[in-house]
Amino acid sequence: MKSQFNRMKTAFKNSKVKIHFACKALTNINILSLFKDLGAGLDAVSIQEVWLGLKAGFNPKDIMFTPNGVSLEELELAVREGVNINIDNISILEQFGHKHGNKIPVSIRINPHIMAGGNSKISTGSVDSKFGISYYQVPHVLRVIEANNMRIKGLYMHTGSDILDVDVFLRGAEILFETAKQFKNLEFLDFGSGFKVPYKPDDIETDIESLGENLSQRFNQFCKDY
């Protein structure tokens, strides 16, 4: 685990990056503490995972709460804990904005409409996916933000799991860059993950080094132009 984490850090050493551990992968509290000590953030998809992360010692500001289809009530529990909140549908965005306005900044999960992943069941960025707000609906999102005077601090995207092709990640990144141009004062972009990992000695895997080099170069250019 340490080796893979350090490999990721090295691959993206040419850009400002914060690597998050997906809590749903393994919620053993000792593993969470390990990644916290390594300097990782935490990606949590339920309020229970948020609580586990806090118990493991994560700073609330290093926890990204990325639920799917939860109620406003669960988001309010996350508000109380002071973690980063990622909203994945327009209805909840509107409800949250109506209640909190610009007092609590949030990020938004975008669906890039990219079919990617080891199979259809782990493709989370396709046009039929329940995850995220279609990037075609960004004009609607902007109207909701303006109407409720909301502060959007980041954009999030995750296209699937077990993705081998580096070009898939780069294509998704371009969609996120184009979307980000329509927002002001963003603090971060979250590109998700979903890398293909080897499960046996002769298995294939995502070329993390190539991805890190190409995405870092493109990201740095975007930051200069943003």
Side-chain angles (χ1 to χ4, degrees):
M1 293 177 187
K2 290 179 180 178
S3 174
Q4 289 291 70
F5 181 77
N6 289 329
R7 182 186 176 193
M8 287 279 295
K9 284 183 63 177
T10 301
F12 290 90
K13 65 182 179 181
N14 293 323
S15 61
K16 187 176 181 181
V17 65
K18 178 78 172 181
I19 299 170
H20 285 64
F21 174 69
C23 187
K24 61 180 174 287
L26 184 58
T27 54
N28 183 298
I29 196 164
N30 296 295
I31 299 302
L32 302 185
S33 296
L34 168 67
F35 278 105
K36 185 263 296 182
D37 292 342
L38 289 173
L42 191 71
D43 185 274
V45 298
S46 70
I47 193 63
Q48 289 79 14
E49 288 186 356
V50 168
W51 290 333
L52 276 171
L54 294 171
K55 189 174 180 63
F58 279 93
N59 186 311
K61 298 303 180 185
D62 288 330
I63 297 178
M64 176 64 73
F65 182 42
T66 62
N68 173 243
V70 301
S71 65
L72 184 62
E73 286 74 19
E74 186 162 344
L75 290 182
E76 289 301 315
L77 293 174
V79 168
R80 293 179 204 170
E81 301 295 355
V83 299
N84 297 293
I85 295 174
N86 195 37
I87 295 179
D88 77 334
N89 71 81
I90 292 177
S91 174
I92 290 295
L93 181 69
E94 195 162 22
Q95 293 175 52
F96 193 93
H98 183 71
K99 181 168 185 178
H100 294 288
N102 65 1
K103 295 179 181 178
I104 299 177
V106 296
S107 58
I108 294 174
R109 179 170 185 169
I110 298 298
N111 183 330
H113 293 200
I114 293 177
M115 185 68 177
N119 60 64
S120 61
K121 294 182 179 179
I122 53 176
S123 178
T124 57
S126 65
V127 65
D128 296 322
S129 174
K130 67 177 182 176
F131 297 97
I133 301 171
S134 166
Y135 74 95
Y136 290 124
Q137 293 181 294
V138 168
H140 188 174
V141 169
L142 293 173
R143 289 195 295 271
V144 170
I145 292 168
E146 183 178 5
N148 294 282
N149 191 27
M150 299 183 72
R151 290 166 55 201
I152 306 302
K153 64 178 181 179
L155 296 180
Y156 175 101
M157 176 187 69
H158 179 61
T159 52
S161 300
D162 229 21
I163 302 171
L164 178 64
D165 190 355
V166 168
D167 287 339
V168 170
F169 293 103
L170 298 177
R171 194 162 74 247
E174 290 302 326
I175 292 173
L176 201 60
F177 291 142
E178 285 302 312
T179 304
K181 291 177 183 178
Q182 302 176 66
F183 293 80
K184 297 179 180 179
N185 303 316
L186 292 177
E187 298 174 14
F188 67 86
L189 296 177
D190 191 325
F191 297 95
S193 59
F195 310 123
K196 173 74 176 73
V197 298
Y199 290 97
K200 50 189 178 181
D202 59 345
D203 207 355
I204 54 178
E205 62 179 325
T206 307
D207 188 341
I208 296 297
E209 286 71 26
S210 175
L211 175 61
E213 180 181 355
N214 286 282
L215 183 53
S216 294
Q217 183 179 6
R218 184 65 187 88
F219 174 72
N220 291 336
Q221 184 59 53
F222 169 79
C223 290
K224 290 179 181 178
D225 298 336
Y226 178 65

